[in-house]
Amino acid sequence: MNIHLERQMERWYPLKDHPVQLALIKAVSEGVRFPVVPAGRRSGKTERFKRFIAKEAMKRPGEKYFIGAPTHDQVKKIYWDDMKKLTLSCTHAKRPSESDRIIFMPNGTEIHLIGLDRPERIEGIQWTGGGIDEIADIKGKSWEAHILPALNTVNPTRPDYRAWCWLLGVPDGLNHYYEMAQYAETANDPEWALFHWKSSEILPADVIASAKRQMSLKQFRQEFEASFETATGRIYEDYGKGNQTDAAIEPHEKLLWMHDQNFTPLSSSIGVVRNDDLYLLDEIVLTSAISRQSAEEFVEKFKDHKNKHVLIYGDPGGRAGEKHGHASDYTEIEDVLRAAGWKFTRKVKKKAPAIKDRQNAVRARILNAAGERHLFVNPVTAPWSHKGLATVQLQEGSTFQEDQKNDYQHITTAIGYMVDVEWPLERAAITTTLRMNY
């Protein structure tokens, strides 16, 4: 056996048997066209699908299978290298197309990888079957307008055959994926079936415990228990009396200054870290002001503070102009600090985090799934920070967009930028891969 084949064969490592997963593998052969698979993160749903497609392609000549994801980059990242290994592509006479993302099996079967940001890509081919990962992130109308019609297209050479499609993903509110899951569970339609399991049924207890410490209860239920969680009005719904404190800044403490630039009121929160807990104990909120004025206010407010080293966090958009040698919001702030004898460290990412990631990072500080609180606010000395976390709501019709009409929203965004730097969502915990424990 050559070394390339040996390496690809190693990809077929043993999996942990799970009764629902074993039933899922049999579903298509038992007449289920649309297995709906809301299951916990890293619990084996994608791995089972990869292997199912690979085996089907190996044993059935002349067929066409597809693997879809919300974008081309996603489907490439999640599937391309693994599918080449699982199909033992080093033995194929025709090499996989790296440009079109097609694997050509020796028996004439093809496996196509498709980015569904343009859902019409799935049209025009007589498919045997396939699957869509992260289905909750596909545009809701794509299923009825493009995907289902493509699957229902009758092949005149096989008029009685109907293409099948696994529908995989983690829930994301009560959207189209929720409706699919509800239909599969309750409609008594023999072409649809629901297959659900939790990550805790597959992953070790220490991985689950780690995830609980890093995530809010709502996010943990959604990500690791595949629960369809309702999007409520308040974004930080677990924020309450347990997060309030009467603590004050001590003169020796290093200050953390958090910004959301280019909005009015110009809002910034000021805090300290104690034993890995974030305390928001002061703030600067100015109407119709610019960053330099905010810095001047900071210097005056903390002129007697002993620790003259401040950490600066905020919106990456505040760096605009620096590339071309122009002053930015941050250089304006830093010039004022420098002139007043302050040292500073700028901790601003090059790119803003995804809104959901920023929100979930703050939620996990407010109250994690293990019942621990790591964010505290003095409502007297930091009233805008307190009111923001207590009142900011979702924009009507959205599952994550913040209500822009609420002036307190800007300071909670500033807090989110800081938390995303110091306590980001630990993707390592969410994406832990255990070879023998799927």
Side-chain angles (χ1 to χ4, degrees):
M1 183 183 298
N2 68 56
I3 189 170
H4 297 295
L5 179 57
E6 185 175 349
R7 287 175 178 171
Q8 291 192 341
M9 287 291 293
E10 288 176 354
R11 185 59 184 76
W12 284 93
Y13 50 77
L15 300 181
K16 177 181 178 179
D17 285 343
H18 184 281
V20 179
Q21 293 183 2
L22 297 180
L24 170 63
I25 294 168
K26 299 177 182 177
V28 169
S29 65
E30 294 175 352
V32 176
R33 289 184 66 196
F34 305 114
V36 181
V37 193
R41 289 283 183 206
R42 305 314 302 168
S43 63
K45 60 184 179 300
T46 297
E47 180 66 19
R48 290 291 186 182
F49 175 60
K50 290 174 181 176
R51 295 184 179 213
F52 183 78
I53 288 288
K55 289 180 179 179
E56 290 291 302
M58 288 176 180
K59 67 185 181 183
R60 301 187 187 280
E63 305 287 4
K64 286 184 170 61
Y65 298 96
F66 69 89
I67 298 172
T71 69
H72 178 267
D73 287 345
Q74 279 179 287
V75 76
K76 174 186 174 184
K77 181 179 180 180
I78 298 170
Y79 285 94
W80 184 238
D81 287 342
D82 276 347
M83 292 309 300
K84 287 188 291 185
K85 293 173 184 176
L86 289 169
T87 58
L88 310 180
S89 62
C90 69
T91 66
H92 299 175
K94 187 174 182 180
R95 296 175 61 85
S97 171
E98 296 290 339
S99 57
D100 295 328
R101 307 294 174 199
I102 303 174
I103 295 172
F104 303 96
M105 304 295 292
N107 61 6
T109 287
E110 298 175 1
I111 302 174
H112 296 238
L113 272 63
I114 302 172
L116 291 170
D117 45 333
R118 291 174 53 193
E120 62 272 15
R121 287 172 174 150
I122 202 170
E123 299 173 350
I125 294 178
Q126 300 286 350
W127 298 112
T128 304
I132 301 171
D133 211 337
E134 302 296 354
I135 183 70
D137 294 331
I138 300 290
K139 295 177 182 177
K141 295 181 180 179
S142 298
W143 174 254
E144 293 182 354
H146 300 277
I147 300 168
L148 186 58
L151 297 174
N152 282 336
T153 300
V154 176
N155 186 338
T157 65
R158 291 193 293 181
D160 295 328
Y161 184 83
R162 299 293 179 265
W164 46 265
C165 180
W166 286 30
L167 302 167
L168 307 101
V170 169
D172 187 8
L174 306 186
N175 63 1
H176 59 278
Y177 193 34
Y178 170 76
E179 293 175 357
M180 289 177 172
Q182 286 291 295
Y183 185 85
E185 185 175 29
T186 65
N188 294 319
D189 186 334
E191 290 191 337
W192 290 74
L194 184 72
F195 299 86
H196 171 268
W197 62 88
K198 299 177 181 180
S199 298
S200 59
E201 298 169 31
I202 305 293
L203 297 177
D206 64 301
V207 174
I208 299 300
S210 176
K212 284 184 175 180
R213 291 191 297 271
Q214 296 169 26
M215 307 172 98
S216 68
L217 180 60
K218 182 175 182 177
Q219 187 191 9
F220 177 81
R221 286 173 175 165
Q222 180 170 290
E223 298 271 349
F224 279 78
E225 296 183 350
S227 171
F228 288 92
E229 295 292 308
T230 304
T232 61
R234 282 180 57 203
I235 291 176
Y236 303 110
E237 59 188 355
D238 290 324
Y239 178 80
K241 289 184 177 180
N243 299 100
Q244 297 174 26
T245 179
D246 60 0
I249 295 173
E250 299 294 337
H252 68 279
E253 291 183 295
K254 184 180 293 185
L255 300 180
L256 290 67
W257 193 13
M258 310 152 217
H259 300 264
D260 187 22
Q261 306 288 3
N262 301 319
F263 290 99
T264 188
L266 188 62
S267 308
S268 58
S269 187
I270 300 163
V272 297
V273 172
R274 298 174 182 171
N275 299 320
D276 201 44
D277 293 336
L278 174 61
Y279 284 77
L280 302 174
L281 305 178
D282 213 326
E283 60 196 18
I284 297 172
V285 179
L286 302 174
T287 302
S288 301
I290 59 175
S291 296
R292 175 175 288 275
Q293 291 171 307
S294 182
E296 291 168 348
E297 191 77 16
F298 177 92
V299 167
E300 176 63 24
K301 180 185 283 277
F302 295 102
K303 62 185 178 183
D304 296 325
H305 192 72
K306 302 301 182 184
N307 189 332
K308 297 292 187 181
H309 185 189
V310 58
L311 306 182
I312 301 172
Y313 305 85
D315 179 4
R319 299 165 60 245
E322 292 180 7
K323 184 177 180 181
H324 302 288
H326 302 305
S328 72
D329 290 311
Y330 293 112
T331 56
E332 291 279 343
I333 289 171
E334 291 161 0
D335 286 346
V336 173
L337 292 172
R338 189 182 296 110
W342 282 79
K343 294 182 180 179
F344 52 84
T345 301
R346 190 196 301 186
K347 303 189 77 173
V348 178
K349 289 186 173 182
K350 292 183 178 180
K351 183 180 179 182
I355 295 174
K356 289 183 182 179
D357 287 348
R358 166 169 57 76
Q359 293 170 347
N360 282 328
V362 174
R363 288 183 181 118
R365 290 271 99 191
I366 290 171
L367 180 66
N368 64 26
E372 303 165 339
R373 296 183 188 270
H374 296 285
L375 185 152
F376 303 94
V377 182
N378 187 323
V380 176
T381 58
W384 279 66
S385 300
H386 164 64
K387 290 178 181 177
L389 294 171
T391 68
V392 170
Q393 298 197 5
L394 294 168
Q395 184 174 315
E396 186 176 354
S398 175
T399 60
F400 68 95
Q401 296 283 355
E402 294 151 345
D403 180 9
Q404 299 296 314
K405 298 189 295 295
N406 188 327
D407 285 342
Y408 297 113
Q409 177 261 330
H410 305 302
I411 205 161
T412 60
T413 299
I415 295 165
Y417 288 135
M418 180 271 166
V419 172
D420 178 69
V421 170
E422 299 297 347
W423 298 284
L425 291 177
E426 290 290 345
R427 289 298 174 185
I430 298 176
T431 60
T432 298
T433 302
L434 299 168
R435 298 188 72 186
M436 298 297 291
N437 287 319
Y438 278 111

